[in-house]
């Protein structure tokens, strides 16, 4: 019997890769629900192609709800994310929404006992304790889609967690890896969107250029694998072949490798701990891959990385402030209201003004998120 899948963010980069993976695994998975933010026509077409019974459009025209055909249901607003995520025929929710907007659907899916294949890392950064508690209490589980965290999971699966002493996440270094600091500060939007090894949506592409993405991933790893920040390192690896290393207590290191493609971590998040045959993933050739190199992060050039890790260490609601301020700063940069070099300063101003509220419940966190957005927005003027 095939498993029912909901894809939140089905019109984006991860959503599209997930549809390709599911298309190759039709005996295992079937699409039940798809959502998008505003791309109505693309969503409608994907609904027709996959036979999804539920299509949720967050930012919908009034006509959307009435335009469903062939027994299909058209949901609207943010509730449609929760509706898709808790649909009774869904067993696996692939959360590929970008930003904090994915949080409530993740919590609802976990409370309903679903597996959440999580690409939406902002959810864990904003509310890691709440999300992990929802997984424990609701009987659901979180399996990472992010390639570095998938790598770690693949290395530790079947081994006692007490044997793990350190994680080393790899970073491509982004498009500005070797650049002069003054040139980085004035980089254009087009330059920042030109990632050397991955093709991704605009927000994560900018996060990869500032290395905020790697700070988000350090915090994500902290919550997913329960390790302290001293046990999570990052190394720049421009070829993006090694996706992550795990060091065990005896000093032995395991790594997971492969050509950069999100389709393998997406498939693994759906089948973990099992592996299934997939002809769509390009087989690795070590000779063709050539040299694999590693270097430290230039923290003086990519200041936002250290801000993010410090926010992770500070804990409570500091990561939520970091995440919200970054979302605002990235949008302001994409809108050409601030320069690339100002992104870290906008994030820092929100973190500096933050009073350190606790992160005990969803309402408090959503309040912190709103406050951080307003504070960061003011710093963009
Ligand atoms: P994209 O921008 O390509 O896609 C985002 C998707 O989310 C679209 O379907 C979009 O709908 C929808 N969406 C956007 N805003 C909202 C909102 N406010 N509410 C509901 N839905 C919304 O992003 P990516 O696929 O690149 O990234 C998605 C997530 O996965 C991010 O958290 C990212 O960090 C993470 N990730 C991505 C990787 C990649 O390779 N792309 C790798 C690892 C992690 P619409 O099309 O209608 O706007
Ligand atoms: Mg990643």
């Amino acid at each position: 019997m095939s498993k029912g899948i909901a894809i939140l963010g089905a019109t984006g980069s991860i959503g599209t890769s997930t549809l390709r993976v599911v298309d190759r695994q039709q005996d295992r998975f079937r699409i039940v629900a798809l959502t998008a933010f505003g791309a109505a026509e693309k969503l409608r077409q994907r609904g027709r192609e996959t036979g999804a019974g539920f299509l949720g459009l967050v930012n919908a025209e009034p006509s959307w709800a009435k335009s469903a055909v062939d027994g299909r249901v058209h949901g609207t607003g943010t509730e449609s994310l929760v509706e898709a995520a808790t649909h009774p025929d869904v067993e696996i929710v692939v959360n590929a929404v970008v930003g904090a907007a994915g949080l409530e659907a993740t919590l609802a899916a976990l409370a309903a006992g679903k597996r959440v294949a999580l690409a939406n890392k902002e959810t864990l950064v904003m509310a890691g304790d709440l999300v992990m508690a929802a997984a424990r209490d609701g009987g659901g589980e979180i399996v990472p889609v992010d390639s570095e965290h998938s790598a770690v999971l693949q290395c530790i699966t079947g081994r006692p967690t007490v044997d793990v002493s350190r994680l080393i996440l790899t970073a491509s270094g982004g498009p500005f890896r070797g650049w002069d600091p003054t040139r980085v500060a004035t980089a254009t939007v087009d330059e920042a969107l030109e990632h050397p090894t991955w093709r991704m949506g605009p927000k994560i592409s900018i996060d990869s250029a500032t290395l905020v993405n790697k700070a988000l991933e350090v915090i994500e790893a902290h919550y997913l694998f329960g390790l302290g920040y001293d046990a999570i390192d990052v190394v720049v690896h421009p070829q993006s072949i090694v996706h992550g290393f795990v060091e065990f207590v005896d000093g032995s290191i395991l790594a997971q490798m492969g050509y950069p493609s999100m389709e393998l971590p997406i498939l693994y998040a759906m089948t973990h701990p099992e592996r299934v045959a997939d002809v769509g993933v390009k087989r690795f050739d070590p000779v063709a891959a050539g040299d694999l190199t590693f270097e430290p992060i230039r923290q003086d050039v990519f200041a936002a990385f250290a801000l993010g890790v410090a926010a992770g260490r500070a804990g409570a609601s500091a990561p939520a402030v970091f995440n919200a301020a970054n979302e605002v700063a990235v949008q302001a940069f994409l809108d050409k209201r601030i320069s690339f070099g100002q992104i870290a300063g906008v994030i820092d101003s929100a973190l500096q003004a933050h009073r350190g509220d606790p992160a005990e419940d969803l309402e408090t966190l959503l309040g912190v998120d709103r406050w951080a957005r307003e504070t960061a927005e003011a710093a963009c003027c």
Side-chain angles (χ1 to χ4, degrees):
M1 176 72 178
S2 61
K3 289 190 169 149
I5 308 289
I7 307 177
L8 315 183
T11 49
S13 161
I14 292 287
T16 303
S17 297
T18 306
L19 286 166
R20 268 200 298 271
V21 170
V22 170
D23 195 49
R24 294 199 297 270
Q25 301 285 346
Q26 291 190 20
D27 49 336
R28 285 193 172 80
F29 305 117
R30 68 183 193 288
I31 299 292
V32 172
L34 300 174
T35 76
F37 180 71
E41 212 29 66
K42 200 166 174 186
L43 182 65
R44 208 189 294 274
Q45 188 192 337
R46 291 186 171 187
R48 279 194 300 270
E49 286 163 4
T50 60
F54 179 89
L55 299 180
L57 191 65
V58 172
N59 192 21
E61 300 284 322
S63 60
W64 169 258
K66 297 196 194 92
S67 61
V69 290
D70 301 336
R72 205 160 276 147
V73 177
H74 278 189
T76 61
T78 49
E79 317 84 82
S80 67
L81 299 177
V82 173
E83 228 174 309
T86 56
H87 192 291
D89 297 341
V90 165
E91 280 155 273
I92 301 174
V93 177
V94 179
N95 188 341
V97 166
V98 62
L103 175 61
E104 276 149 297
T106 292
L107 291 172
L110 293 170
K114 318 275 190 201
R115 167 176 291 198
V116 177
L118 188 72
N120 179 227
K121 63 191 90 182
E122 293 91 345
T123 287
L124 269 179
V125 171
M126 187 183 168
D129 285 325
L130 279 186
V131 171
M132 297 315 285
R136 277 194 304 274
D137 301 344
E141 66 177 328
I142 294 213
V143 186
V145 165
D146 220 346
S147 56
E148 298 77 2
H149 305 74
S150 176
V152 170
L153 182 68
Q154 292 181 55
C155 291
I156 66 174
T157 293
R159 299 187 164 85
T161 46
V162 290
D163 286 355
V164 175
S165 62
R166 188 167 61 118
L167 310 181
I168 307 171
L169 309 179
T170 54
S172 71
F176 307 142
R177 184 172 60 87
W179 283 32
D180 180 77
T182 49
R183 201 173 150 216
V184 174
T186 56
T188 66
V189 169
D190 286 346
E191 287 169 333
L193 287 174
E194 201 49 52
H195 196 275
T197 47
W198 299 95
R199 290 284 153 262
M200 311 178 286
K203 196 263 179 178
I204 187 176
S205 295
I206 303 303
D207 286 349
S208 300
T210 56
L211 296 194
V212 161
N213 183 49
K214 219 39 64 175
L216 296 173
E217 290 185 358
V218 167
I219 300 171
E220 184 186 7
H222 163 76
Y223 286 113
L224 282 174
F225 304 113
L227 287 167
Y229 286 94
D230 286 341
I232 307 170
D233 288 340
V234 174
V235 67
V236 173
H237 167 47
Q239 298 81 17
S240 299
I241 296 287
V242 178
H243 304 304
F245 299 94
V246 177
E247 182 188 78
F248 293 88
V249 285
D250 59 359
S252 180
I253 298 255
L254 294 187
Q256 189 266 339
M257 305 169 71
Y259 291 122
S261 159
M262 288 308 297
E263 293 186 24
L264 195 144
I266 290 168
L267 175 63
Y268 187 74
M270 297 199 285
T271 64
H272 164 81
E274 287 167 26
R275 291 185 183 278
V276 299
D278 185 4
V279 293
V281 174
K282 189 178 165 198
R283 302 290 139 161
F284 186 58
D285 176 349
V287 175
D291 292 342
L292 303 184
T293 59
F294 302 93
E295 57 195 70
I297 285 188
R298 293 193 298 161
Q299 304 217 15
D300 51 329
V301 184
F302 300 101
F305 171 76
L307 291 175
V309 175
R313 284 179 183 273
S317 54
V321 172
F322 173 72
N323 177 63
N326 176 57
E327 285 191 32
V328 168
V330 168
Q331 194 55 53
F333 172 65
L334 288 170
D335 295 344
K336 303 191 174 150
R337 288 185 281 126
I338 62 171
S339 68
F340 188 83
Q342 284 173 290
I343 295 176
V346 169
I347 298 170
D348 195 30
S349 65
L351 286 167
Q352 294 287 344
H354 179 229
R355 294 182 318 276
D357 321 65
E360 283 151 8
D361 53 61
L362 182 59
E363 212 174 303
T364 313
L365 275 172
L366 293 175
V368 169
D369 177 82
R370 269 193 303 277
W371 170 86
R373 280 169 203 272
E374 284 161 18
T375 309
E377 202 59 70
C380 289
C381 302

